[in-house]
Amino acid sequence: MNPGSTLRHHLCAFNAERIKLTTLHSLWITPLLAFALTVGTTTAIGAALGGSEHNLTDDPGVGVFYGLNFGQAALVCFAVLLIGQEFNTRMIDVSLTAVPRRGRLYGAKLTLGALVGLGVGAAGTAGAFAGYAATVPGGWGGPAFVRSATAGVLYPTLLVVFCLGATALLGNLTAAMGLLVPVVFLLSPLLGGVAGVRQVSQFLPDRAGQYALHYADDPQVSYGHWTGLLIMALWAGAAAYGGLLALRRAK
């Protein structure tokens, strides 16, 4: 096939997904909600601590990205809805009629989801740092700041890719929403505080990715900050590939 023709087909598939995003309220509201929760919660915490000489914790990165604990729940919902609602309504059959090559359709959804996650990550990181640093003193420079800010941009991107891939793998919106939201928002943080399973739970995608947001080293974590982001990227890649295989085998 002509490379130019292939590129046009990919762009057409992506454009179709973009139109769906902008016309379905359930899709475009959730990234905005993720941004609002991330920045709003962090700014509110910073304002509450304003004038003090202390951060929310000893680690500035934990304070800056405190709101991300809530914003990521909306990002999980966005990723699940991006493909899951088509499974539940069987609109996936219509999408596959328009774009018969399943890899192309899936790739368009992944690309759109990753770009939205990247946008939320960039805007949310800038807003969180600005809102928090305006009132709370801290070390807003140096290698730790650069790493934390970079992770703040990439973490939402990887989270969206991971959850979208997991939803495609499950092939069901309800199952994906019922599994991913509680695990990311509730179960994973709780497991991190249980001594017996902490060594295992630190390798969960959200736990590993969030460690890269921290400034300080944690002696209870058995890898470095950048390695944590790499672990999350591996989870995201594995989920995306698993979702592709499942979509290709689905009837």
Side-chain angles (χ1 to χ4, degrees), residues 39 42-43 46-47 126-136:
V39 177
T42 294
T43 302
F129 269 106
Y132 198 71
T135 53
V136 177

Side-chain angles (χ1 to χ4, degrees), residues 193-212:
V194 179
V197 296
R198 184 183 296 127
Q199 292 303 312
V200 176
S201 66
Q202 66 178 311
F203 291 97
L204 292 174
D206 58 312
R207 293 291 90 196
Q210 287 185 21
Y211 184 56

